[in-house]
């Protein structure tokens, strides 16, 4: 049983309400499909729980949801707040737009609020610093303070603070300025697309690199949160969901996004992520989340099929033990 978020590595918290699963302060569950997520209260990402840990917990969540009086429900999604502080999100048969509003609304909304607060604090601090410097040193002091703030902002812009590690094991670093040069293009093979990344823009020893397959997904997972730093309001989230819905599902959207890359030009080069409309970029980040979950679920199906086959073999052997030797076809034992 994991206790930290698989995305931001922060603690998921604990609860004393679900005895079989005492992790998390917000749990989302789909009883019909047997799925349970722990929603991280730091980054608002949904962590799908391992198969063996969820069955009893889903039943407990369903029972708690029905017993909790403080709750809101629509046709497809419900939210209940237990007196002990645990929040339960119950998924019925949600339409994609409604489910996405619950799943991504908090995440992108919080990101937007944090950006507004950060820029506001920076602006107030800059104005205060310039004012103090102006009082102390006159116009020259104010000018120096203003230039100093600009240099700090520039250093943060080019500092290699974004990292990812491809399959070759070598850590790559990108700056916020370098991330803006990230491009996506189609490939001629079975991979979804290829992605060009520019590590450490002002390091002349590092050239732009192309990544495919799993490495391309790693680049996007690292770059998109920075490019989507302003998050989005509910209307923008709905527009992003529409982008995915037009393709039917997230995997199809990922397959098509590189084909549309000719529409997004930056300095004459196609496939620029920063030139994508905001809803398209948000939809790309959403699709990566859902693609990760799809793969996890496919892995579970493989485990279930293997367990079923093992159970069938054991059952067949048990059935033979009840039959006389003369009734057993010897070829079945080969």
């Amino acid at each position: 049983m994991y206790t930290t978020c698989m995305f931001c590595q922060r603690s998921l918290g604990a609860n004393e309400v679900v005895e079989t699963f005492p992790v998390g302060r917000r749990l989302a569950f789909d009883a019909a499909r047997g799925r349970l997520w722990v929603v991280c209260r730091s980054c608002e990402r949904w962590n799908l729980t391992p198969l063996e840990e969820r069955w009893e917990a889903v039943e407990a969540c369903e029972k708690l949801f029905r017993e909790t009086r403080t709750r809101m429900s629509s046709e497809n999604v419900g939210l209940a707040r237990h007196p002990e502080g645990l929040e339960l999100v119950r998924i019925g048969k949600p339409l994609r737009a409604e489910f996405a509003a619950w799943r991504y609304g908090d995440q992108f909304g919080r990101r937007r609020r944090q950006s507004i607060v950060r820029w506001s604090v920076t602006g107030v601090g800059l104005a205060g610093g310039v004012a103090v410097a102006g009082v102390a040193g006159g116009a020259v002091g104010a000018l120096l303070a203003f230039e100093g703030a600009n240099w700090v902002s520039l250093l943060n812009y080019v500092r290699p603070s974004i990292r990812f590690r491809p399959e070759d094991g070598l850590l790559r670093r990108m700056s916020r300025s370098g991330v803006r040069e990230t491009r996506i293009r189609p490939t001629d093979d079975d991979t979804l697309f290829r992605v060009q990344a520019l590590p450490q823009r002002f390091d002349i020893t590092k050239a732009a690199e192309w990544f495919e397959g799993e490495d391309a997904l790693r680049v996007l997972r690292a770059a998109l949160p920075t490019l989507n730093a302003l998050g989005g309001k509910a209307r923008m989230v709905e527009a992003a969901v529409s982008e995915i819905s037009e393709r039917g599902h997230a995997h199809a959207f990922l397959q098509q996004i590189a084909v549309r890359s000719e529409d997004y030009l930056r300095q004459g080069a196609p496939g620029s992520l920063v030139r994508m409309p905001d809803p398209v970029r948000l939809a790309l980040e959403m699709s990566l989340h859902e693609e990760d979950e799809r793969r996890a679920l496919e892995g579970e199906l493989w485990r279930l099929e293997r367990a079923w086959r093992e159970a069938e073999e054991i059952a067949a052997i048990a059935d033979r033990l009840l039959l006389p030797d003369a009734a057993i076809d010897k070829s079945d034992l080969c």
Side-chain angles (χ1 to χ4, degrees):
M1 182 181 298
Y2 59 84
T3 59
T4 58
C5 176
M6 65 179 66
F7 302 101
C8 71
Q9 306 304 316
R10 296 183 181 179
S11 173
L12 291 171
N15 71 81
E16 299 180 356
V17 182
V18 184
E19 294 182 0
T20 57
F21 195 82
V23 178
R25 301 295 295 170
R26 172 181 277 192
L27 301 179
F29 66 98
D30 184 338
R33 297 181 179 179
R35 298 180 187 176
L36 176 68
W37 298 267
V38 183
V39 183
C40 177
R41 303 309 287 155
S42 295
C43 67
E44 303 294 348
R45 299 283 287 272
W46 289 34
N47 297 258
L48 184 67
T49 62
L51 180 67
E52 62 273 8
E53 296 180 1
R54 81 175 63 138
W55 297 108
E56 293 183 5
V58 168
E59 293 180 0
C61 287
E62 178 71 29
K63 183 174 183 293
L64 286 168
F65 184 88
R66 294 178 182 277
E67 293 176 350
T68 301
R69 294 182 179 180
T70 307
R71 66 188 186 195
M72 302 173 291
S73 294
S74 68
E75 182 180 357
N76 303 301
V77 182
L79 173 65
R81 290 186 175 88
H82 193 275
E84 297 295 329
L86 176 67
E87 292 185 349
L88 297 168
V89 179
R90 183 182 185 275
I91 309 300
K93 295 181 179 179
L95 301 174
R96 174 176 288 276
E98 187 176 5
F99 180 63
W102 282 86
R103 180 166 185 170
Y104 299 110
D106 283 352
Q107 179 184 340
F108 292 131
R110 173 174 290 194
R111 193 182 292 176
R112 179 180 177 82
R113 290 191 297 272
Q114 288 175 341
S115 294
I116 292 173
V117 170
R118 184 165 55 249
W119 283 106
S120 298
V121 170
T122 302
V124 171
L126 175 59
V130 170
V132 171
V135 172
V140 174
L143 179 61
L144 290 175
F146 187 79
E147 287 298 322
N150 281 339
W151 276 107
V152 170
S153 178
L154 178 61
L155 289 175
N156 286 331
Y157 191 58
V158 300
R159 182 169 57 90
S161 56
I162 301 156
R163 304 177 181 182
F164 67 96
R165 191 184 300 275
E167 291 183 353
D168 62 14
L170 299 177
L171 183 66
R172 307 298 202 279
R173 296 179 174 86
M174 293 188 292
S175 64
R176 287 161 55 195
S177 62
V179 165
R180 295 177 62 84
E181 305 299 328
T182 306
R183 297 198 297 131
I184 185 170
R185 296 291 288 147
T187 58
D188 297 327
D189 52 30
D190 295 333
T191 57
L192 293 174
F193 42 71
R194 58 181 181 147
V195 175
Q196 186 185 51
L198 185 64
Q200 294 183 236
R201 184 174 183 180
F202 293 107
D203 186 347
I204 61 175
T205 65
K206 297 292 181 68
E209 298 180 73
W210 285 99
F211 298 91
E212 296 186 9
E214 291 297 321
D215 287 345
L217 298 178
R218 290 187 176 97
V219 176
L220 291 180
R221 292 189 191 102
L224 284 170
T226 296
L227 293 174
N228 292 332
L230 291 179
K233 295 181 179 180
R235 188 172 299 177
M236 188 180 295
V237 172
E238 292 174 4
V241 173
S242 297
E243 289 284 340
I244 300 174
S245 298
E246 288 177 3
R247 303 297 182 279
H249 50 79
H251 187 70
F253 176 81
L254 286 173
Q255 289 178 318
Q256 290 295 316
I257 192 66
V259 177
R260 301 164 57 187
S261 62
E262 293 287 347
D263 298 334
Y264 313 126
L265 298 176
R266 178 177 170 85
Q267 298 178 350
S272 171
L273 296 187
V274 78
R275 292 299 186 188
M276 290 181 177
D278 292 341
V280 174
R281 243 188 358 257
L282 285 181
L284 183 55
E285 188 173 350
M286 290 180 186
S287 297
L288 289 176
H289 297 175
E290 296 191 16
E291 176 68 7
D292 289 342
E293 189 162 295
R294 182 186 69 83
R295 294 183 177 193
L297 292 172
E298 284 182 351
E300 290 185 358
L301 290 176
W302 174 80
R303 291 174 59 192
L304 286 172
E305 182 178 356
R306 184 179 66 178
W308 169 76
R309 291 185 182 280
E310 291 175 352
E312 282 292 305
E313 292 177 2
I314 294 173
I317 294 173
D319 289 344
R320 292 193 187 100
L321 294 176
L322 301 177
L323 296 175
D325 291 341
I328 298 178
D329 187 348
K330 300 300 183 181
S331 62
D332 291 339
L333 300 178
C334 299

